[in-house]
Amino acid sequence: GRLSGTRARLRDARVQGPQPKPDWLKVKVRTGPNYLELKALMRQHGLHTVCEESGPCPNIYECWEARTATFLILGNVCTRRCTYCDVITGKPPVVDHEEPERVAKAVGAVGLRYAVVTGVARDDIREDGGAAIWAETIRAIRRHNPGCGVEVLTPDFRGWPHAIATVVRAEPDVFAHNLETVRRLHGVVRKGFDYDRSLDVLRIAKRERPDQVTKAGVIVGMGETDEEVREAIDDMASANVDLVTIGQYLSPSRAHPQVDRYVPPETFDAWAAYARSLGTFKHVESGPLVRSSYHAREQEEAGRSG
């Protein structure tokens, strides 16, 4: 079937190695004063960001110039194994209850205007999947940095309503949880997660706090069809998501599944037009270089004013 064919293509691509990147994915290095200052401060304070450790992200120069960065909490070892992800899977460290304060002070030290917080899945924390640490991180950033926006990009907390509510009640500016891929491929590339459960996470967040700005996204180039992407857009609309992101999958290494296809910019434009035509989303960010936190502050402003 199509699913087994996708597995075979991803396996074969890993053996054959990466395809050359098209011109629209080649990013020029533009290291302005804010970027250089943030880089020096990150090293000075011994901080780690997803921006640097995930490839690095192709948008790091633009985002850091705008003083937006993404922090990783609850350690750097995940209890789940997603094939596209570069985060280590294994037994995570003991929960560090001082981490929220350290992250909050780091946000102030580097002078961020908008902080995005993401984290690994912690199925080992039986009571709430680590939701209490997420909530305290939001509150700590607010205490130390009034005026700084806070966005969280969470795991699914096993779909537990009480855990999702714990995070939402801390009132992040944006609550984000990604589908990452289309329904058919979820079991292949996002093991341990469930497509419908991810949609439920977004619904629960909105139900718990109706004015909560929610956000979700997918990455493409892992074997999906254009029609399946449109179906995922429909599903995000059905979950009352406010902000949507669609971006190109880029393989972290030769050990990971390689890109199945490089989607041209005009296709991303067509998906954006389709999403906007539904009339439910407050903002749509769709393009080859788009990531969940790309233009995060601008997206949050659109979600608040929409």
Side-chain angles (χ1 to χ4, degrees), residues 142-293:
R142 289 260 167 72
R143 281 197 306 271
H144 289 280
N145 309 278
C148 179
V150 184
E151 176 174 321
V152 291
L153 173 59
T154 76
D156 65 8
F157 302 113
R158 296 185 181 179
W160 290 334
H162 73 278
I164 299 161
T166 295
V167 179
V168 171
R169 286 170 188 164
E171 300 187 356
D173 292 290
V174 175
F175 177 96
H177 176 71
N178 286 335
L179 293 181
E180 302 294 9
T181 189
V182 299
R183 181 184 294 276
R184 177 175 59 88
L185 297 180
H186 227 256
V188 177
V189 304
R190 208 173 190 215
K191 298 172 183 177
F193 288 85
D194 179 84
Y195 187 87
D196 288 307
R197 187 168 65 197
S198 284
L199 290 170
D200 284 342
V201 168
L202 295 157
R203 292 188 181 102
I204 292 167
K206 190 67 95 170
R207 186 174 68 227
E208 179 64 31
R209 185 179 173 221
D211 62 347
Q212 174 67 68
V213 176
T214 56
K215 178 172 161 182
V218 294
I219 47 177
V220 297
M222 294 192 286
E224 73 294 318
T225 67
D226 290 1
E227 178 57 32
E228 286 175 320
V229 176
R230 286 190 290 271
E231 289 171 359
I233 292 170
D234 290 339
D235 289 336
M236 288 185 282
S238 74
N240 296 317
V241 169
D242 297 302
L243 312 175
V244 168
T245 63
I246 308 170
Q248 172 72 53
Y249 167 63
L250 298 173
S251 179
S253 74
R254 289 191 65 128
H256 292 79
Q258 298 303 305
V259 175
D260 180 74
R261 61 168 175 161
Y262 286 117
V263 178
E266 54 268 26
T267 302
F268 282 102
D269 292 342
W271 287 328
Y274 175 74
R276 292 178 185 121
S277 75
L278 299 179
T280 60
F281 303 119
K282 294 178 179 177
H283 186 77
V284 179
E285 197 84 43
S286 177
L289 295 174
V290 168
R291 295 294 178 269
S292 182
S293 57

Side-chain angles (χ1 to χ4, degrees), residues 34-108:
N34 281 344
Y35 170 84
L36 294 172
E37 183 184 0
L38 256 66
K39 189 173 181 67
L41 287 166
M42 293 293 183
R43 299 295 74 75
Q44 178 185 336
H45 292 275
L47 303 175
H48 299 283
T49 66
V50 174
C51 319
E52 294 178 286
E53 296 180 9
S54 62
C57 175
N59 304 313
I60 186 171
Y61 311 109
E62 181 179 350
C63 291
W64 281 23
E65 271 303 302
R67 289 200 176 269
T68 298
T70 303
F71 292 92
L72 186 70
I73 65 170
L74 285 164
N76 62 352
V77 179
C78 188
T79 55
R80 302 187 193 176
R81 185 184 299 278
C82 296
T83 61
Y84 60 86
C85 184
D86 205 23
V87 174
I88 299 166
T89 302
K91 184 178 179 180
V94 174
V95 174
D96 180 359
H97 292 279
E98 301 301 316
E99 185 176 49
E101 282 290 308
R102 285 206 316 278
V103 170
K105 290 176 181 177
V107 168

